Amino acid sequence: MSGGVEWKVNMPDGTSERLERENIGMVSRVCVGLKGMVERFVLKIWRFLEKAWSIGVSEPKKVVHCLKVGLALTIVSLFYFMRPLYQGVGGNAMWAVMTVVVVFEYPVGAMLSKCINRIIGTFFAGSLAIGVHWIASQSGEQFEPIILGVSVFLLASVATFTRFIPTIKARFDYGAMIFILTFSLVSVSGYRIDELFEMAHTRFSTVAIGTSICILISMLFYPVWAGTELHHLINRNMEKLADSLDGCVSEYFNDNGDVKKSDDDPNKKLQGYICVLNSKATEESLANFARWEPTHGNLNFGHPWKQYPKIGAAMRNCACCVESLNSCINSEIQVPEYLKKNFSDVCMRLTSHCSKVLKELAVTMKTMTKSPTTDLSVGEMNFSAQELQNALKSLPNPLLFPPLSENDTKGEATTKHSGVTLIDIVPLATAISLLIEIATRIERIADEVDELATLAEFDSVSDEKSQQNQSKTDRIDDVTMKALQKV
């Protein structure tokens, strides 16, 4: 009806009938449009619910956190609902509710950081406000507002400046903000309120009540420790980095078609090192929050959390090389197949050793036990890197030209030889150089993990196994030295 033929009646009132048909068609179009809008709205709501359900199923800890926040707010609301509790704190009970809303964070370390900062900032600000108010009140009514205004200006300016200092901003930024808020509130309102000490005491009490409820609920019911999350994050990133390296090199040197390619494979391959590159902010925040947490599991209070960002930085340096390697592999310039075949075995061997070292380091982080084979694997990786470097040095000699068979004529040989140019070799040489650089940076990761194992006092294997692996490492070192002497 909306796009149909217009009706026309040859009768005196034909005009009115045609208008009636047009009105019906307009109403029909409006109904169809409204129906489409409702369907799109319902579809968006359904997709949102599906996404929320998938997040809840994949990460049930977040659902538990939401329930803990609701429980904390319900308990703190009792200070309003129950008359004895309400008479104890009065209308200031709302500060306890605000405290719970503001400081209850997902990791325990983040929550403890905010709670301690809020308590310390409130205490010092209230104490200073009471002291300044007493001094101002002794100066007379004429100078009292001047002293209060100058004190607010000076202390607020100094506290704001301290928030720009890196060490204070990293750990006490929230406390400085609460200090400014509380001092300004108490000192300014004290000019019109006589019972200033009681007001400051009540505010501190309600803040203490709110923070205590948050600490108890967060630590007693399925706690999420920032230190444990950081430890698992470093472990997962090592495994992802190893998988990304294996995927890039295997796809490049896959000549037999053993690895099946699909549209999703590139995204899965890229996901590993991209996660490592994007994890800097998360690692630094978790390391900062982990310092506030008490002993939990195998992680003590004095655990060397500062070492974790160093390991993350070393992994990001390696991930940058993997990203460059992936760009080089996906270059539009195609390398001749016979050149790739000459380097396929040694490149795959080096990649296998690099991946093995990363996975062993991941196991060391996961089990918090020094692996007896890490040094051996690093030695094998270095030896393979030296082999690849020697093969790269021999690239200008006869590998630039394909091998000639007895049936090749002189003209065919000239055609084959003229088909290889310097620009055809650059992507392969770059990929090989990046593999050698990746091996060097993985060794740096191993050194950082070894330093963490020393500082955190990871468990060691038995002396017998250590001696056996040390003898194997010595043999690898001997072989490496002989190879270097030949070079």
Side-chain angles (χ1 to χ4, degrees), residues 407-425:
N407 298 327
D408 288 336
T409 62
K410 185 176 180 179
E412 293 175 349
T414 304
T415 302
K416 286 184 178 181
H417 291 178
S418 62
V420 180
T421 60
L422 180 61
I423 197 171
D424 294 330
I425 306 167

Side-chain angles (χ1 to χ4, degrees), residues 149-200:
V150 172
S151 64
V152 170
F153 172 78
L154 291 177
L155 290 176
S157 300
V158 172
T160 303
F161 179 77
T162 58
R163 299 179 67 185
F164 292 104
I165 302 175
T167 54
I168 295 180
K169 184 176 181 61
R171 304 189 67 179
F172 304 104
D173 182 72
Y174 183 71
M177 183 183 66
I178 293 299
F179 175 87
I180 297 171
L181 174 64
T182 304
F183 180 82
S184 302
L185 179 66
V186 175
S187 60
V188 173
S189 61
Y191 182 72
R192 299 293 183 183
I193 299 176
D194 296 333
E195 298 177 353
L196 180 62
F197 179 79
E198 183 179 353
M199 185 189 70

Side-chain angles (χ1 to χ4, degrees), residues 99-297:
T99 299
V100 172
V101 174
V102 172
V103 305
F104 209 118
E105 295 289 341
Y106 180 60
V108 175
M111 184 269 304
L112 288 175
S113 173
K114 278 196 169 183
C115 287
I116 296 174
N117 274 275
R118 193 173 183 87
I119 291 175
I120 293 176
T122 302
F123 175 77
F124 281 106
S127 302
L128 283 175
I130 293 174
V132 170
H133 177 74
W134 182 83
I135 295 173
S137 62
Q138 300 298 320
S139 302
E141 295 182 359
Q142 184 177 1
F143 294 99
E144 183 177 1
I146 298 176
I147 294 175
L148 291 176
V150 172
S151 64
V152 170
F153 172 78
L154 291 177
L155 290 176
S157 300
V158 172
T160 303
F161 179 77
T162 58
R163 299 179 67 185
F164 292 104
I165 302 175
T167 54
I168 295 180
K169 184 176 181 61
R171 304 189 67 179
F172 304 104
D173 182 72
Y174 183 71
M177 183 183 66
I178 293 299
F179 175 87
I180 297 171
L181 174 64
T182 304
F183 180 82
S184 302
L185 179 66
V186 175
S187 60
V188 173
S189 61
Y191 182 72
R192 299 293 183 183
I193 299 176
D194 296 333
E195 298 177 353
L196 180 62
F197 179 79
E198 183 179 353
M199 185 189 70
H201 178 266
T202 304
R203 171 159 168 72
F204 181 78
S205 300
T206 52
V207 169
I209 292 171
T211 54
S212 300
I213 292 174
C214 292
I215 292 173
L216 290 176
I217 293 179
S218 179
M219 296 181 64
L220 294 179
F221 299 97
Y222 298 98
V224 179
W225 303 103
T228 303
E229 295 293 319
L230 176 61
H231 200 79
H232 292 165
L233 176 63
I234 296 294
N235 178 33
R236 290 194 303 267
N237 283 347
M238 284 185 183
E239 294 177 349
K240 291 178 180 179
L241 189 59
D243 294 338
S244 296
L245 181 59
D246 280 338
C248 288
V249 180
S250 298
E251 181 182 354
Y252 186 59
F253 289 102
N254 178 39
D255 297 330
N256 299 326
D258 295 334
V259 180
K260 296 182 180 180
K261 297 182 180 180
S262 62
D263 296 336
D264 296 332
D265 288 340
N267 295 330
K268 292 180 180 179
K269 178 186 66 177
L270 294 177
Q271 185 179 3
Y273 69 80
I274 289 178
C275 291
V276 177
L277 292 174
N278 295 334
S279 63
K280 179 180 179 181
T282 305
E283 291 172 0
E284 291 179 351
S285 62
L286 288 177
N288 184 31
F289 296 146
R291 301 176 189 176
W292 298 91
E293 294 178 346
T295 301
H296 54 279

Side-chain angles (χ1 to χ4, degrees), residues 25-75:
M26 184 179 298
V27 172
S28 177
R29 288 195 296 270
V30 171
C31 292
V32 172
L34 290 176
K35 182 180 179 182
M37 291 178 60
V38 172
E39 289 179 352
R40 288 193 296 269
F41 179 74
V42 173
L43 182 60
K44 288 183 179 180
I45 296 296
W46 180 255
R47 289 177 179 175
F48 173 79
L49 294 176
E50 285 184 342
K51 187 175 182 180
W53 178 263
S54 63
I55 292 175
V57 172
S58 60
E59 298 181 81
K61 291 182 179 180
K62 294 184 177 180
V63 178
V64 175
H65 172 72
C66 299
L67 298 177
K68 291 194 295 184
V69 173
L71 177 61
L73 287 174
T74 302
I75 294 175

Side-chain angles (χ1 to χ4, degrees), residues 291-479:
R291 301 176 189 176
W292 298 91
E293 294 178 346
T295 301
H296 54 279
N298 295 327
L299 306 174
N300 299 323
F301 184 76
H303 196 74
W305 298 114
K306 293 182 179 180
Q307 187 63 24
Y308 285 84
K310 295 180 181 179
I311 298 175
M315 287 196 297
R316 281 189 294 275
N317 290 335
C318 184
C320 289
C321 284
V322 176
E323 184 179 26
S324 301
L325 177 63
N326 181 67
S327 301
C328 179
I329 287 174
N330 294 328
S331 175
E332 295 182 358
I333 302 174
Q334 298 296 326
V335 179
E337 290 297 328
Y338 70 90
L339 287 178
K340 291 170 61 176
K341 288 181 180 179
N342 282 281
F343 292 97
S344 176
D345 292 338
V346 64
C347 287
M348 293 297 295
R349 191 181 309 118
L350 176 59
T351 304
S352 176
H353 289 308
C354 291
S355 177
K356 181 180 179 182
V357 171
L358 287 174
K359 291 180 179 179
E360 287 187 0
L361 294 176
V363 172
T364 298
M365 294 291 298
K366 184 176 182 180
T367 60
M368 299 186 69
T369 304
K370 292 182 180 180
S371 176
T373 60
T374 301
D375 294 336
L376 177 64
S377 300
V378 171
E380 293 175 347
M381 180 184 67
N382 292 333
F383 180 72
S384 298
Q386 186 62 46
E387 285 184 337
L388 182 57
Q389 190 172 0
N390 296 338
L392 181 61
K393 290 179 180 179
S394 65
L395 182 61
N397 295 325
L399 294 179
L400 291 178
F401 305 104
L404 298 177
S405 61
E406 297 179 357
N407 298 327
D408 288 336
T409 62
K410 185 176 180 179
E412 293 175 349
T414 304
T415 302
K416 286 184 178 181
H417 291 178
S418 62
V420 180
T421 60
L422 180 61
I423 197 171
D424 294 330
I425 306 167
V426 169
L428 179 61
T430 305
I432 294 174
S433 300
L434 286 172
L435 276 175
I436 297 173
E437 181 64 21
I438 288 172
T440 303
R441 299 194 179 190
I442 289 177
E443 186 176 5
R444 176 62 179 171
I445 298 175
D447 293 338
E448 296 292 346
V449 174
D450 183 68
E451 184 175 356
L452 173 65
T454 302
L455 295 174
E457 298 180 354
F458 285 2
D459 297 333
S460 302
V461 295
S462 61
D463 295 337
E464 182 179 356
K465 291 184 178 180
S466 299
Q467 292 177 359
Q468 292 177 357
N469 288 282
Q470 183 64 33
S471 62
K472 293 181 181 179
T473 304
D474 294 338
R475 289 198 298 270
I476 291 293
D477 293 339
D478 293 340
V479 175

